[in-house]
Amino acid sequence: MWPYFKEKIAKLILGAVNVDLPPVAVHMGLRTWEQQDALYALGRTVKNPDGAGPEKPLGNIVTKAKGGESWHCFGVAADIVFKPDGKWSWADKMPWGALGKIGVELGLEWGGVWKFKDLPHFQLRSTMTIQEAQEIYKKGGIAPVWDEIARRIASEPFVK
């Protein structure tokens, strides 16, 4: 993950501790485009054991984003999941709203407010489109993407 974003995620985790939420941790941060494509396939063309049954033989769809279409692929998104008793939990009963509020207060965008809710997902508020990030990445990899985001953050104080 981009160090600037990683620092925000560390503050999010500390914020959860400070308000006595159940333990949370980064379940997934930076993904390669190939890893993102593999997640995209789950529930579509590859069986996902989660949710698989007679009505949904391929199980639940995990993501709407293909490789390069998620901010995970650029190191500025992370899935923060509750981990009570040392075991990952995506249960609805977890205090997702309280966790989302902390993230938003830190200037992060939270997937819990999206139409296609993604409760564990936090990302840097966008200073560019995903298409701009893809073009920069294709020319020079991830470091130039981070450099451009940093440049834009410096000129847009509201996203700090």
Side-chain angles (χ1 to χ4, degrees), residues 69-124:
E69 295 176 353
S70 168
W71 289 109
H72 281 279
C73 298
F74 302 99
V76 293
D79 294 328
I80 309 301
V81 178
F82 289 96
K83 205 170 183 183
D85 304 317
K87 295 182 181 180
W88 298 110
S89 176
W90 289 264
D92 288 341
K93 67 180 179 180
M94 290 297 167
W96 294 105
L99 184 64
K101 181 180 179 204
I102 296 167
V104 169
E105 288 171 356
L106 289 167
L108 298 172
E109 185 176 343
W110 177 45
V113 298
W114 297 343
K115 183 179 177 183
F116 179 73
K117 295 208 182 312
D118 190 350
L119 297 172
H121 184 89
F122 292 87
Q123 66 187 34
L124 201 59

Side-chain angles (χ1 to χ4, degrees), residues 23-64:
V24 295
V26 175
H27 182 264
M28 192 169 283
L30 176 64
R31 295 181 192 140
T32 66
W33 293 31
E34 294 79 15
Q35 289 168 325
Q36 187 69 34
D37 281 336
L39 286 175
Y40 182 82
L42 287 175
R44 287 184 174 84
T45 58
V46 174
K47 185 175 183 175
N48 180 3
D50 179 45
E55 291 180 20
K56 286 185 1 186
L58 290 178
N60 293 327
I61 289 174
V62 175
T63 181
K64 289 191 166 211

